[in-house]
Amino acid sequence: MTTQNAMQSRCPRCGAEVPADAPQGLCPRCVMAAAAAPTGAGGPGPTATAEIPSLQRVAAAFPQLEIIELIGRGGMGFVFKARQPHLDRYVALKLLPDKLARDPQFAERFNREGRVLAKLNHPNIVSIYDFGKTDDFYFLLMEYVDGVNLRQAMQAGRFSPTEALSIVPKICEALQYAHEQGILHRDIKPENILLDAKGRVKIADFGIAKLVGEERPEITLTGTGATLGTPHYMAPEQLESPNQVDHRADIYSLGVVFYEMLTGELPIGRFEPPSARTPVSPVVDEVVFRTLEKDREKRYQSAQEVKTQVEHITDRGAAVPPVVGKGRHGTMMVATTSPKFSIKAIISAALVGVAWVMVGVPLVLAFAGGGLGFWELLVFGVPACLAGLTGTILGWVALSDIRSSGGQLRGVPLAVFGALACPLMLLMVVVVSLPYFHISTMRPSLAMRLVAWLLPAGVLTFALWAVYATSRWAANAPRNGRRGILKWIFVALLLVGVVVLGRHPGYLGLKTTAVGRTKPSFQPWERLPDGMIKLAAITTQPSDGFWWLPDGSPVDKVPEISVKGSPSRPQLNRDTRTVQLLFELRGLEQGDAGPRIVIPDAQGWTGQSVEIPAGYGVSHYLVSASFPFDMETTTLYAGMARGAWRVLAQDSFTASSSYSIPLDGKIWKIAFHGAVEDKDGNTVLQASYDHPQRSEFQVMISAALANGTEEAGLLMRETDGHLRVTFPRRPLADIHHFIFQVRRYHWAEFKDVRLTPLHHNTVGRQGIGQQESEKFNTGKKQSR
Amino acid sequence: MAHEPTISSNSAFGPTRWTLVVRSQGNTPEARAALSELCEAYYQPVFAFLRREGRDEEAARELAHDFFAYLLERGTVGNADPLRGRFRSYLLGALKHYLADRREREGRLKRGGGLIIESLDAPLEGKDAQIERDVASAADTVPDTWFDRQWALTVMARALSSLEAQFAGEERSEQYTVLKPWLAGDASALNPTAAAERLGLSESAFKVAVHRLRKRFRETVQREVAQTMPEGADLHEELRYLVEVLASAPR
């Protein structure tokens, strides 16, 4: 049972329990009762018993209009919504009751009044576009207002005082304007005051009452019990001596409407002041009462006066009592709550501004003068952080204050600046500096450059959206249906940036050498058997005799080597250091070629084979390589080309040709220039080739001779990717075809090779004395 | 494009379904189709009435189906009652007739029907109780107003679903859901500000939307009721009656 009761709710209107069989959970009593009641679109008046003209009849009478639908049964006729195709606008077509047409004097009055009314041109008055008579109807063609009348609006919900106080001045403006033209409305009531969906106020049926001659509308009751055509809005003098009314009657009617908007009730008999029923200050009471004065001499004498008084109230924020002091009417002292600037917003913006300045000063100094000293950091940095932090917090407090003040506090832009400037700036700095820092130190790939642009763009978009969204939040603006497009752009950009970074964490500089650079790592395909190549010793100056091992410890036995050709000069400048690397090769097989050295971190290296006197059983290779000055260790590779040759292309190559040949999952691109025989009878062939791992292959072109043997070509010149091969004294006619073949280098890896010895002292070295080490230290070259 | 004027007079709609049926006394194919549609629409009150008499769901459903089949087949029921008046009254009358006929045919006593004392002897325990119960329930017949209340609820339910479907068709289902409570009227318990915010409307726009929803609902209800009224009948009177029936305490 309890669950059943828990599920049953109460009707918000009548308070009764909603029965279990109620459709869609709504109270049947209230819903159906509401459905049975009329819409309140104005009483039938003299049209209560009149026949509604059919659409066809109306359309026939007005061929220049598209008649759309009947939108109301006014007290003075039927109103249709129509459209003027010629002008592409909607209009309201009001047809006056047939019985009027039978009144002979009506025609004259209609024309006279009609002309006067058509002159009324005011934004708060429903304009009359045209009027006249067709065969069947007297009609008025009016502005179409897409909205509701005040009666319907009041039925949909009670007006807040602020709303009511905003509507009244507009009615006053319309009335004032009309009164100045000498036109009275005479029938101001909620049904005649229209509100469009944008909240504009328009008064309809100006002067129609007089035009139609309805001085005393009938009081009728329909079966559903609604009263229509009430005289409650009419001024006393209008009821007593209708021929002697002036514009002040309209002011009375306005007062009734005003009262009804505020309290929901009509001011009948002994009625309570509005402040007793709704939260307004007694100033409002005074104004309302004065408009409702029975004696018209005591009323406001013009609509303009009413407007001024009402606007006076609004300026002083009359929606909020209490009254501080009482004075004569019009000089009331009220606790002012007019919109003012939020102090917190001002302070917050100031603090943040100061913080930025304090951060900017040392930065400027750092750029101009020397570096950023600790002292400067302290003096400027700490207060800046404090000011920024305080300002930011204060900014958020100010925003919250403004939001909850309901329009009483101003200063959203300042507060937004204070609240967001520091956090957004920090975010920007962090996000931007990471990739840019990285980019500046090495050649960036396309993806990295993209990331470097995307992340700041994303953050910028986010910053823009944050400012926009915060402003709207603080201003309590209604959320519009359009989703924040900016926000989604930011999210998209950020996601892309994150994805790219996730796949290449190296971009964030997480794997770096001491200087923070990494080049794409060298991936050896094949490995040499251990011990075949050994990095025997390292030195800066081969003739000095001071060598160390790859781990930095000094060498026991210094190799005596003779350097062929011109000795390489160590280049000791500020930025680079040159070292000599001595490799030992042993156990090589016939046909192995090399070595080839690859040092990813070096700025350049040269190789030179050295001859070591017989007896060692090994061959030596000396490499000179340059490194950044502060680099302490490096990784390098030495390889020998061995194994079977693999043929990529064979052809007579008499003409230029190019090939794309896949090998082990990568493509070789080879282009041959036509083979030629030079004047000395040598055959020359040139080729250019490309491969992602070109340096890992040894390339050869051989010639298959007509007699069936194969002859290797002589490599005249090989630059990176270009071959020039000669077959000496081999005429072209002898050669049947050429063979382009490759084979891999097999690599030995040398990790963490020290470029500086661990000890500069000469302990444990043979053959070197203090003298030598001194010479070493001064960097003089010692010739042998 | 000229639309039909949205006013609630029968003539504006052309013949309503019931009007069609009455005119031809159910003899034309259109009239039969109209009658069948009406029966489908107002199945619920009949079913509820049969349940209310004490049957279980299965029995009530079966009986309802039989009744409707009989009605649709014959076009009239029993003594060739002319089809006239309101469909609501007609349907209830037809149902009662049908039940009485059936009872007579089956020769058995049911609640709300005649009461036959089977024996004058001192009744046995069980039987005695049964008879007493029958007597008691004879006075406790399902009142006509109970049927009419179910009818009113059906009208309301149909109007609401029609409105809901309209809104769904205009892709404004959310608006319908949020505005629905305001169909009951204006109430302090309802929070227009929150609702307006939820729909992204200003306060005045919200009021306009509420007004329009009520107007559409009203029109839908009137259309619905008009379908069951004969020519020249007073729609508003029927509506007022239905409201009255709903307003009186259920059961």
Side-chain angles (χ1 to χ4, degrees):
Chain A
M1 267 302 139
T2 45
T3 41
Q4 210 174 9
N5 285 339
M7 274 172 17
Q8 281 194 335
S9 50
R10 295 198 163 266
C11 170
R13 192 162 184 275
C14 64
E17 254 183 40
V18 175
D21 54 2
Q24 298 207 11
L26 297 170
C27 173
R29 219 188 304 190
C30 295
V31 171
M32 292 302 273
T39 60
T47 58
T49 48
E51 278 289 317
I52 305 166
S54 73
L55 280 190
Q56 291 85 346
R57 202 174 141 218
V58 175
F62 296 96
Q64 72 278 25
L65 295 177
E66 281 173 19
I67 310 294
I68 298 173
E69 58 176 349
L70 179 75
I71 53 177
R73 266 169 127 146
M76 315 292 171
F78 305 96
V79 185
F80 292 85
K81 178 178 175 183
R83 193 172 154 268
Q84 283 180 305
H86 186 56
L87 294 169
D88 191 22
R89 72 176 174 190
Y90 287 105
V91 294
L93 180 67
K94 189 181 198 99
L95 301 180
L96 299 184
D98 281 346
K99 70 169 195 181
L100 291 171
R102 296 180 219 122
D103 180 351
Q105 290 175 338
F106 177 75
E108 198 228 314
R109 214 164 58 221
F110 183 73
N111 280 325
R112 191 171 11 103
E113 292 289 339
R115 251 180 247 126
V116 172
L117 293 177
K119 285 198 178 68
L120 283 179
N121 185 6
H122 191 272
N124 294 115
I125 298 180
V126 173
S127 308
I128 305 233
Y129 296 145
D130 197 4
F131 66 95
K133 182 180 187 303
T134 65
D135 291 333
D136 308 317
F137 306 107
Y138 277 96
F139 72 91
L140 287 148
L141 196 67
M142 310 183 297
E143 189 184 340
Y144 173 75
V145 179
D146 183 17
V148 298
N149 64 38
L150 206 56
R151 172 73 59 205
Q152 293 161 336
M154 287 197 287
Q155 283 175 342
R158 191 91 90 71
F159 274 100
S160 69
T162 325
E163 269 185 276
L165 286 168
S166 72
I167 290 176
V168 169
K170 297 182 193 150
I171 305 176
C172 292
E173 276 180 41
L175 285 177
Q176 181 65 28
Y177 170 81
H179 293 169
E180 281 167 7
Q181 314 271 330
I183 299 175
L184 313 183
H185 191 291
R186 294 171 188 260
D187 197 15
I188 292 282
K189 56 185 180 184
E191 287 80 355
N192 282 337
I193 300 170
L194 307 179
L195 301 172
D196 72 6
K198 294 192 182 112
R200 286 185 292 228
V201 177
K202 295 210 181 247
I203 306 190
D205 286 353
F206 242 100
I208 301 289
K210 186 167 174 227
L211 166 64
V212 173
E214 285 295 331
E215 302 295 353
R216 283 182 215 273
E218 295 136 31
I219 303 165
T220 52
L221 291 163
T222 65
T224 52
T227 57
L228 309 146
T230 81
H232 290 134
Y233 298 95
M234 301 177 88
E237 68 269 19
Q238 216 170 346
L239 295 165
E240 288 156 18
S241 41
N243 298 322
Q244 292 163 18
V245 290
D246 62 11
H247 65 281
R248 292 172 289 187
D250 280 343
I251 294 176
Y252 181 92
S253 309
L254 170 62
V256 178
V257 172
F258 197 178
Y259 185 91
E260 198 179 357
M261 270 201 286
L262 289 174
T263 64
E265 311 259 321
L266 288 170
I268 306 174
R270 296 178 69 80
F271 51 92
E272 290 181 303
S275 59
R277 298 180 144 266
T278 195
V280 288
S281 76
V283 196
V284 177
D285 290 347
E286 298 256 336
V287 175
V288 172
F289 284 158
R290 193 161 161 203
T291 61
L292 288 174
E293 282 282 354
K294 299 270 188 272
D295 180 0
R296 61 185 176 180
E297 302 301 327
K298 291 193 185 157
R299 266 175 238 159
Y300 291 108
Q301 298 299 302
S302 75
Q304 179 63 38
E305 240 186 287
V306 180
K307 178 180 170 211
T308 315
Q309 290 306 318
V310 172
E311 283 177 342
H312 216 37
I313 303 171
T314 320
D315 284 347
R316 279 146 151 226
V320 184
V323 175
V324 168
K326 222 168 155 56
R328 283 187 309 133
H329 168 73
T331 61
M332 196 75 79
M333 304 290 282
V334 184
T336 55
T337 51
S338 53
K340 60 179 167 107
F341 256 103
S342 159
I343 304 282
K344 290 178 193 156
I346 299 173
I347 298 180
S348 144
L351 277 176
V352 167
V354 164
W356 278 30
V357 165
M358 293 189 85
V359 163
V361 166
L363 279 180
V364 163
L365 286 181
F367 270 115
L372 214 53
F374 177 74
W375 173 240
E376 285 136 352
L377 225 54
L378 197 63
V379 164
F380 287 101
V382 170
C385 286
L386 287 175
L389 190 64
T390 317
T392 306
I393 296 175
L394 206 58
W396 282 107
V397 171
L399 277 178
S400 171
D401 275 358
I402 292 176
R403 180 180 147 87
S404 54
S405 77
Q408 298 296 321
L409 275 183
R410 295 164 53 198
V412 168
L414 282 180
V416 166
F417 172 72
L420 286 180
C422 287
L424 285 180
M425 184 51 67
L426 272 174
L427 184 66
M428 286 281 269
V429 165
V430 164
V431 166
V432 167
S433 64
L434 283 176
Y436 267 120
F437 174 85
H438 204 44
I439 289 252
S440 64
T441 57
M442 47 175 289
R443 198 176 31 134
S445 70
L446 179 66
M448 279 197 45
R449 265 182 280 157
L450 217 60
V451 166
W453 282 111
L454 279 179
L455 279 184
V459 171
L460 201 66
T461 317
F462 173 71
L464 286 173
W465 168 80
V467 169
Y468 171 72
T470 310
S471 306
R472 286 190 75 94
W473 172 79
N476 231 340
R479 204 174 9 113
N480 52 15
R482 189 172 46 95
R483 299 284 167 218
I485 301 172
L486 281 182
K487 178 168 62 169
W488 294 116
I489 295 176
F490 151 70
V491 169
L493 287 175
L494 200 59
L495 276 177
V496 173
V498 164
V499 164
V500 172
L501 275 180
R503 294 185 62 187
H504 301 275
Y507 292 168
L508 282 179
L510 295 175
K511 299 185 284 193
T512 61
T513 63
V515 191
R517 306 180 340 168
T518 43
K519 283 208 173 132
S521 47
F522 182 73
Q523 299 280 357
W525 187 272
E526 302 266 11
R527 295 218 170 248
L528 267 185
D530 279 335
M532 212 171 246
I533 301 186
K534 184 176 144 197
L535 180 53
I538 307 168
T539 186
T540 47
Q541 179 65 299
S543 41
D544 264 341
F546 174 65
W547 299 76
W548 63 92
L549 292 173
D551 63 355
S553 52
V555 163
D556 290 342
K557 200 160 190 301
V558 173
E560 285 182 18
I561 60 173
S562 64
V563 177
K564 262 195 183 165
S566 53
S568 42
R569 279 179 200 277
Q571 290 159 352
L572 291 171
N573 58 33
R574 232 188 124 176
D575 295 323
T576 62
R577 186 219 314 276
T578 308
V579 293
Q580 319 287 317
L581 304 154
L582 184 67
F583 291 91
E584 273 177 15
L585 294 79
R586 56 180 75 226
L588 296 169
E589 288 162 11
Q590 189 187 19
D592 291 347
R596 170 171 279 195
I597 310 293
V598 170
I599 312 178
D601 292 326
Q603 287 151 348
W605 65 91
T606 59
Q608 200 170 23
S609 54
V610 298
E611 240 182 62
I612 298 213
Y616 279 83
V618 298
S619 48
H620 285 80
Y621 195 67
L622 188 67
V623 172
S624 173
S626 306
F627 297 90
F629 187 69
D630 49 352
M631 187 173 276
E632 298 203 350
T633 60
T634 187
T635 297
L636 50 95
Y637 304 86
M640 299 298 295
R642 53 205 328 246
W645 287 95
R646 298 155 83 176
V647 173
L648 290 187
Q650 29 188 0
D651 204 331
S652 49
F653 299 131
T654 45
S656 294
S657 45
S658 57
Y659 297 76
S660 281
I661 297 135
L663 187 72
D664 298 331
K666 302 256 166 58
I667 309 282
W668 278 90
K669 292 202 181 84
I670 314 166
F672 293 97
H673 308 264
V676 292
E677 194 177 334
D678 67 12
K679 56 179 169 34
D680 297 326
N682 312 315
T683 299
V684 178
L685 178 64
Q686 292 190 72
S688 33
Y689 59 93
D690 193 9
H691 183 268
Q693 290 146 357
R694 208 166 43 203
S695 52
E696 290 191 38
F697 290 87
Q698 187 187 13
V699 174
M700 176 173 71
I701 302 182
S702 55
L705 303 177
N707 60 18
T709 57
E710 189 181 331
E711 189 176 279
L714 197 62
L715 207 60
M716 290 305 294
R717 193 176 60 187
E718 185 189 358
T719 59
D720 204 19
H722 291 277
L723 274 183
R724 188 184 151 88
V725 173
T726 308
F727 299 87
R729 284 178 290 286
R730 179 62 65 191
L732 194 54
D734 281 358
I735 297 173
H736 187 261
H737 61 269
F738 298 94
I739 308 169
F740 185 103
Q741 41 196 314
V742 299
R743 68 174 175 178
R744 284 193 180 274
Y745 281 96
H746 297 226
W747 300 94
E749 187 180 22
F750 300 92
K751 273 183 144 151
D752 298 323
V753 172
R754 281 207 59 93
L755 301 172
T756 57
L758 282 175
H759 307 286
H760 279 282
N761 296 335
T762 60
V763 176
R765 279 166 65 241
Q766 289 183 354
I768 303 291
Q770 274 297 102
Q771 265 181 316
E772 300 294 330
S773 68
E774 272 168 9
K775 282 181 206 137
F776 168 76
N777 284 334
T778 58
K780 276 204 222 137
K781 191 166 70 84
Q782 190 89 353
S783 56
R784 282 193 160 258
Chain B
M1 233 130 309
H3 296 180
E4 291 249 327
T6 52
I7 39 180
S8 54
S9 76
N10 270 345
S11 54
F13 292 109
T16 67
R17 292 198 183 94
W18 185 241
T19 311
L20 201 60
V21 172
V22 166
R23 265 197 224 153
S24 61
Q25 286 297 298
N27 283 330
T28 63
E30 295 89 7
R32 266 191 273 276
L35 184 61
S36 120
E37 282 163 22
L38 282 171
C39 290
E40 200 181 344
Y42 291 95
Y43 170 88
Q44 181 57 29
V46 168
F47 176 75
F49 182 88
L50 293 171
R51 283 274 287 144
R52 181 74 175 156
E53 288 203 325
R55 296 174 187 83
D56 62 41
E57 266 198 46
E58 199 48 53
R61 218 196 312 271
E62 241 185 77
L63 200 51
H65 280 142
D66 288 343
F67 164 67
F68 279 119
Y70 191 79
L71 181 67
L72 289 168
E73 209 184 278
R74 301 301 171 99
T76 66
V77 172
N79 311 328
D81 271 346
L83 299 158
R84 61 165 177 192
R86 292 173 237 248
F87 181 55
R88 173 171 56 81
S89 325
Y90 178 81
L91 194 64
L92 183 61
L95 180 61
K96 286 184 182 165
H97 261 129
Y98 178 78
L99 289 174
D101 279 355
R102 201 176 158 112
R103 246 177 269 129
E104 257 175 78
R105 261 185 284 120
E106 287 168 5
R108 270 199 276 146
L109 291 171
K110 286 242 187 295
R111 281 208 197 122
L115 186 65
I116 299 173
I117 311 276
E118 291 209 299
S119 119
L120 291 172
D121 299 336
L124 298 169
E125 267 284 295
K127 225 166 178 199
D128 198 350
Q130 171 71 28
I131 289 168
E132 274 194 50
R133 236 183 292 130
D134 278 346
V135 172
S137 66
D140 183 24
T141 51
V142 180
D144 287 359
T145 48
W146 203 87
F147 180 85
D148 292 339
R149 180 170 184 277
Q150 293 301 311
W151 188 275
L153 289 176
T154 309
V155 169
M156 178 177 163
R158 284 176 60 79
L160 283 174
S161 354
S162 161
L163 201 61
E164 191 173 14
Q166 278 178 48
F167 269 83
E170 294 162 18
E171 314 235 319
R172 284 161 51 205
S173 298
E174 217 216 334
Q175 224 185 55
Y176 174 77
T177 319
V178 172
L179 291 174
K180 205 170 62 173
W182 272 267
L183 281 174
D186 194 36
S188 53
L190 293 172
N191 185 353
T193 325
E197 212 178 284
R198 183 167 158 197
L199 293 175
L201 298 172
S202 71
E203 274 197 49
S204 359
F206 180 76
K207 285 189 185 138
V208 172
V210 165
H211 172 80
R212 283 192 177 141
L213 178 74
R214 286 183 182 152
K215 185 154 168 272
R216 271 170 93 165
F217 177 69
R218 199 172 299 115
E219 287 158 13
T220 314
V221 166
Q222 287 170 352
R223 254 202 299 273
E224 190 59 40
V225 171
Q227 291 296 319
T228 65
M229 306 289 283
E231 266 173 300
D234 190 340
L235 245 182
H236 290 291
E237 195 211 314
E238 171 78 354
L239 253 181
R240 274 200 301 279
Y241 172 70
L242 292 177
V243 171
E244 230 179 85
V245 164
L246 284 173
S248 52
R251 301 171 261 280

